[in-house]
Amino acid sequence: MTHTPRANTSLATQAAEGAPDLAANSAFSQAERDAVYRAIFERRDMRHFAGGSVAPDAMRRLLTAAHHAPSVGFMQPWRFVRVASRALRTQLQALVEQERVLTARALGQREDEFMRLKVEGLLEAAEVWAVALADGREKHVFGRRTLPQMDLASAACAIQNLWLAARAEGLGVGWVSLFDPIAVADLLHMPAGAQPIALLCIGPVDAFYDEPMLQKERWTQRCALDDLIFEDTWGKHPRVTV
Amino acid sequence: MTHTPRANTSLATQAAEGAPDLAANSAFSQAERDAVYRAIFERRDMRHFAGGSVAPDAMRRLLTAAHHAPSVGFMQPWRFVRVASRALRTQLQALVEQERVLTARALGQREDEFMRLKVEGLLEAAEVWAVALADGREKHVFGRRTLPQMDLASAACAIQNLWLAARAEGLGVGWVSLFDPIAVADLLHMPAGAQPIALLCIGPVDAFYDEPMLQKERWTQRCALDDLIFEDTWGKHPRVTV
């Protein structure tokens, strides 16, 4: 079952061609704002995929969205490796399965509970992509001298853009981090200094979870936002609700 | 000048109250998809702010968007500290200014060029918020045993949600990472183990840059996306354009 979005997203298509015709400074309409919030609230970390495929132009739009993320000092540290080979995909899934078992043991009392969760859809998803930080990042000092890890933060912003664009396109995405990064880097022949940060499962799904799967499965629940907001001093909550 | 969005974003307001009425599985319309891509492409890292204020309900919507980001093992590591005190804001800006000079020196040949850039709007922005990773993160093993830095990746996704929601609401955001995290943690009385990752400037702007400021100022330019996409092996570009 091929997933072809009903029509081009003209803005994204233009952006993919390098010159989007942005409204740039006109206000977003209420409907536009609602759509942005809708993508944010309906996005899920998917582990259940429905096979099929993702049309190349749709995949291009998702990568273009990622590529328009913010990056520290505009360094654009992100690299995308499509896992096209089925054999390679199977090898990567085996690495993830190994780590799943090791993580379970490290969880102690929650080992059995963790082992019952479906934590990835690598064999079922239409597309699997590795996202990595490029090699040679040490020369990028702007914004990183005291916080070198801002390269990872930037790449995460790119993945989040891809994730939201995918949701808007009706495609599921799951971010898998259960792997030994050295083993994955070896499998993909990454140069010294490059670091894999994600295996992304992307593709059609039967349905999006109506709440995060880990909440539905009672692994944990969403915190109260008020507990996470302080004012001027850690631990001091604002007197007026923000 | 108070920035009050013209009307509530009803979906976000519902979400802020804890129970959004999601369409969950109906397809996004073309217009909804375009709106999501529009936010992604028009989002900018702003350094020029127009003072004013952000209405508390709008700020709440932005934080709610952040709070609905993905997080490794659903750990929700993000904490938000509003910098309400003008004196504290001034102290933080002084720390950023110190780091700006140190970064400039570390840039060698590009020192003077860097010093001419406006890299933050901490004194002009309506709101300043510190984003930090919570203390006690070591117990969160799910998805982090081999990649503990996935906590930072999660918090970056939260910031990206806030950033896109803000753009849709017509508000500028700038992520400042030019600071000594230990000094900032001290100023905000963060507990051991908590780590600041961002100082966010948020608020009304006169105009959004039509391209990234660092590109406009010729610090660097956007890479060609095709150069960043590989297939199965690092360095091997796909034969068919994805």
Side-chain angles (χ1 to χ4, degrees):
Chain A
M1 178 182 66
T2 303
H3 172 88
T4 306
R6 290 191 313 275
N8 277 342
T9 301
S10 64
L11 183 65
T13 302
Q14 293 176 43
E17 292 158 6
D21 179 22
L22 300 178
N25 275 295
S26 69
F28 277 56
S29 67
Q30 184 68 56
E32 286 178 305
R33 292 200 327 223
D34 280 351
V36 173
Y37 279 107
R38 186 186 165 192
I40 286 169
F41 293 132
E42 290 189 10
R43 181 214 53 76
R44 292 286 176 264
D45 193 342
M46 299 302 293
R47 293 95 190 285
H48 299 80
F49 287 84
S53 64
V54 178
D57 61 334
M59 196 63 231
R60 185 70 181 199
R61 290 194 294 274
L62 301 190
L63 293 166
T64 301
H67 190 44
H68 281 253
S71 63
V72 63
F74 203 26
M75 76 179 283
Q76 305 158 75
W78 41 75
R79 300 297 181 268
F80 307 102
V81 187
R82 184 176 187 232
V83 181
S85 147
R86 189 78 199 181
L88 179 59
R89 183 194 283 227
T90 303
Q91 286 175 290
L92 285 166
Q93 198 276 338
L95 286 179
V96 169
E97 180 59 22
Q98 277 179 37
E99 178 50 34
R100 188 172 80 104
V101 173
L102 293 171
T103 289
R105 286 190 200 142
L107 284 165
Q109 280 191 304
R110 300 194 81 179
E111 176 175 354
D112 292 346
E113 184 186 355
F114 176 80
M115 283 299 286
R116 284 192 291 268
L117 296 170
K118 182 161 174 43
V119 293
E120 50 84 7
L122 286 161
L123 298 181
E124 303 91 52
E127 293 276 330
V128 172
W129 287 73
V131 184
L133 301 180
D135 53 322
R137 303 188 312 283
E138 53 284 352
K139 63 182 181 283
H140 293 280
V141 176
F142 187 161
R144 293 184 68 225
R145 200 190 71 92
T146 55
L147 291 171
Q149 67 273 41
M150 290 292 106
D151 51 7
L152 170 64
S154 304
C157 290
I159 293 174
Q160 185 63 1
N161 271 3
L162 184 151
W163 216 328
L164 294 172
R167 182 60 192 90
E169 301 249 13
L171 294 165
V173 174
W175 181 335
V176 180
S177 59
L178 287 157
F179 57 82
D180 171 355
I182 294 171
V184 168
D186 282 349
L187 256 187
L188 300 177
H189 305 108
M190 290 189 188
Q195 287 184 32
I197 63 162
L199 293 173
L200 297 183
C201 302
I202 303 173
V205 296
D206 287 324
F208 290 92
Y209 314 133
D210 54 15
E211 58 178 328
M213 196 201 85
L214 291 183
Q215 178 162 280
K216 190 191 266 297
E217 298 296 326
R218 301 182 185 282
W219 180 258
T220 186
Q221 60 184 4
R222 205 183 292 281
C223 304
L225 176 55
D226 283 314
D227 291 346
L228 314 183
I229 298 171
F230 308 126
E231 189 161 288
D232 290 336
T233 300
W234 190 274
K236 176 167 157 280
H237 298 289
R239 273 182 299 151
V240 178
T241 301
V242 176
Chain B
M1 178 182 65
T2 303
H3 171 88
T4 306
R6 289 190 314 275
N8 276 342
T9 301
S10 63
L11 184 65
T13 301
Q14 292 176 42
E17 292 158 7
D21 179 21
L22 300 177
N25 275 294
S26 69
F28 278 55
S29 68
Q30 184 68 57
E32 287 179 305
R33 292 201 328 223
D34 279 351
V36 174
Y37 279 108
R38 186 186 166 192
I40 286 168
F41 294 131
E42 290 190 10
R43 180 214 54 76
R44 292 285 176 264
D45 193 342
M46 299 302 294
R47 294 96 190 286
H48 299 80
F49 288 84
S53 64
V54 178
D57 61 334
M59 195 64 230
R60 185 70 182 200
R61 291 193 293 274
L62 300 190
L63 293 167
T64 301
H67 190 43
H68 281 253
S71 62
V72 64
F74 203 27
M75 75 179 284
Q76 303 157 79
W78 41 76
R79 300 295 181 269
F80 307 102
V81 187
R82 183 176 188 233
V83 181
S85 150
R86 189 77 199 181
L88 180 59
R89 183 195 285 227
T90 302
Q91 285 174 292
L92 286 165
Q93 198 276 338
L95 286 178
V96 169
E97 180 58 22
Q98 276 178 37
E99 178 50 36
R100 187 173 81 102
V101 173
L102 292 170
T103 290
R105 286 190 201 142
L107 284 165
Q109 281 191 302
R110 300 194 81 179
E111 176 176 353
D112 293 346
E113 184 187 355
F114 176 80
M115 283 299 287
R116 284 191 291 267
L117 296 170
K118 183 161 175 43
V119 294
E120 51 84 6
L122 287 162
L123 298 181
E124 304 90 52
E127 292 276 331
V128 171
W129 287 73
V131 184
L133 301 180
D135 54 323
R137 302 189 312 283
E138 53 284 352
K139 64 180 180 285
H140 293 280
V141 176
F142 187 161
R144 293 185 68 226
R145 201 190 70 92
T146 54
L147 291 170
Q149 66 272 42
M150 290 292 105
D151 50 8
L152 170 64
S154 304
C157 290
I159 291 173
Q160 186 63 3
N161 270 3
L162 184 152
W163 216 327
L164 295 171
R167 182 60 192 89
E169 302 248 13
L171 294 165
V173 175
W175 182 334
V176 180
S177 59
L178 287 157
F179 56 82
D180 171 356
I182 295 172
V184 168
D186 281 349
L187 256 188
L188 299 176
H189 305 109
M190 289 189 188
Q195 288 185 31
I197 64 162
L199 292 174
L200 297 182
C201 301
I202 303 172
V205 296
D206 287 323
F208 291 92
Y209 314 133
D210 55 15
E211 57 178 330
M213 196 201 85
L214 291 183
Q215 179 162 280
K216 192 191 265 300
E217 297 296 328
R218 302 182 186 281
W219 180 258
T220 187
Q221 60 182 5
R222 205 183 291 282
C223 305
L225 176 55
D226 283 314
D227 292 346
L228 314 183
I229 298 172
F230 307 127
E231 188 160 288
D232 290 336
T233 300
W234 191 275
K236 177 167 156 281
H237 297 290
R239 273 183 299 151
V240 178
T241 300
V242 176

